[in-house]
Amino acid sequence: MIDHVIKVLSQPAENAIVCFLAIPLSHRPVYFKKLRCALTELRKNTGHPHFIIIDEAHHLMPKENTVNFNDFPEDFTNIFAITTQPDLLCPDFLKRINVVLAMGESPAQTIVSFAVASGNEIILPDTGKFQKRDVLVWRKEPGSISVIKSSEPGQFLMRHKRKYASGDMYSNSFYFTGPSHKLNLKANNLMIFIQMAAGIDDETWLYHLHRHDYSKWFRNSVKDPKLSLRSEAIENDEPNAALSRKEIFSLILNRYTLPA
């Protein structure tokens, strides 16, 4: 696969997206290092690629990784790493970061986590509680931090829709346990969730329904506030196991299997 990526990127007008989902999690750091080395060699000869975006960077450059990041030249600074937990990134990479954009429910907590992991002293602005779509921007030089407002996305990204519908959500999976916690059924995406929910007993289904576990999962893990809001209405108003199942399944299928 790496040879194919290099062949594509040898053409300056081309971009490439490399998917690591087929590679076991524990093997990804080593494979990513091989890709980095190949890209570094390509850049020496062609100046390409000009920019690299690394999604879920903590899977490719984890904290436990003993392989350092020095195979990327110091003058190559056009790297954008995306992660939910900066403290899980390898320290060698954290030292090279000169700009941080923290967003989500707790941007201040993200900045603090980065500061501790990277050894940077960062003083948060005294702005009180952060509002929705606030983004904390830290720059290593001159060591400043500011708050900007991000725009709301115009559409739900299809790549993430596929991941939540049929991919592996790993630690964000849903677990059916039941009231006595005798079960430990893992639904690692929405389609598996529907299959498992259709087969569990009514007591287990209603236990999670009454606890609002479904709407919480849709909001916090699936990152779909509309699905969460609509399912929460069902949790509040529909006590019947069969009907609430049918309605929640319908919500999921309408948002994740019909054309976007």
Side-chain angles (χ1 to χ4, degrees):
M1 185 177 74
I2 291 178
D3 291 342
H4 182 66
V5 173
I6 298 304
K7 183 177 179 180
V8 171
L9 292 179
S10 295
Q11 306 172 60
E14 294 293 335
N15 298 313
I17 298 175
V18 184
C19 180
F20 280 72
L21 289 180
I23 301 172
L25 203 59
S26 60
H27 296 173
R28 291 179 194 176
V30 173
Y31 198 88
F32 183 59
K33 176 177 172 60
K34 293 179 181 178
L35 178 61
R36 294 202 316 260
C37 291
L39 291 175
T40 299
E41 193 63 30
L42 176 65
R43 188 172 178 273
K44 287 179 182 177
N45 298 325
T46 66
H48 199 226
H50 308 300
F51 206 103
I52 294 178
I53 299 174
I54 309 169
D55 195 9
E56 298 195 65
H58 54 284
H59 288 166
L60 305 181
M61 299 176 292
K63 182 178 181 180
E64 299 78 12
N65 189 16
T66 57
V67 179
N68 63 34
F69 200 74
N70 293 332
D71 43 50
F72 259 30
E74 288 291 334
D75 64 343
F76 187 32
T77 57
N78 296 339
I79 303 172
F80 195 96
I82 303 170
T83 181
T84 55
Q85 295 177 277
D87 56 310
L88 296 184
L89 284 166
C90 71
D92 198 50
F93 177 72
L94 286 171
K95 293 175 184 177
R96 296 189 54 170
I97 294 176
N98 51 34
V99 176
V100 174
L101 286 82
M103 59 189 70
E105 295 182 358
S106 305
Q109 183 176 335
T110 301
I111 287 289
V112 170
S113 176
F114 166 77
V116 172
S118 63
N120 288 287
E121 183 177 351
I122 302 177
I123 300 176
L124 294 171
D126 186 16
T127 58
K129 186 176 180 180
F130 294 102
Q131 303 299 314
K132 183 179 180 181
R133 298 199 301 277
D134 278 352
V135 181
L136 279 175
V137 182
W138 171 79
R139 295 176 176 86
K140 193 169 188 176
E141 297 293 340
S144 63
I145 189 166
S146 57
V147 182
I148 63 174
K149 182 75 70 174
S150 65
S151 59
E152 188 156 11
Q155 63 180 5
F156 195 69
L157 297 180
M158 285 303 299
R159 183 171 67 85
H160 287 102
K161 287 189 74 170
R162 287 194 294 270
K163 179 179 76 172
Y164 297 137
S166 57
D168 193 336
M169 294 174 60
Y170 299 104
S171 59
N172 288 320
S173 300
F174 187 89
Y175 288 85
F176 290 101
T177 63
S180 301
H181 293 273
K182 293 180 179 180
L183 302 176
N184 190 33
L185 302 176
K186 178 182 178 182
N188 56 2
N189 59 54
L190 289 165
M191 297 303 110
I192 298 297
F193 171 85
I194 289 177
Q195 292 176 24
M196 287 187 172
I200 61 174
D201 59 275
D202 288 352
E203 184 183 24
T204 297
W205 170 261
L206 291 174
Y207 167 76
H208 293 289
L209 185 84
H210 295 154
R211 285 163 44 93
H212 292 257
D213 289 340
Y214 306 132
S215 59
K216 291 176 184 176
W217 185 56
F218 298 148
R219 180 174 59 252
N220 298 327
S221 298
V222 181
K223 309 296 183 184
D224 192 338
K226 288 184 179 179
L227 178 61
S228 175
L229 188 63
R230 292 172 183 173
S231 63
E232 187 175 13
I234 297 170
E235 291 169 335
N236 289 331
D237 301 332
E238 182 50 74
N240 182 275
L243 290 177
S244 58
R245 268 192 183 96
K246 182 179 179 180
E247 291 176 7
I248 288 180
F249 292 177
S250 179
L251 287 178
I252 295 171
L253 294 172
N254 284 337
R255 287 184 64 76
Y256 288 86
T257 61
L258 295 179

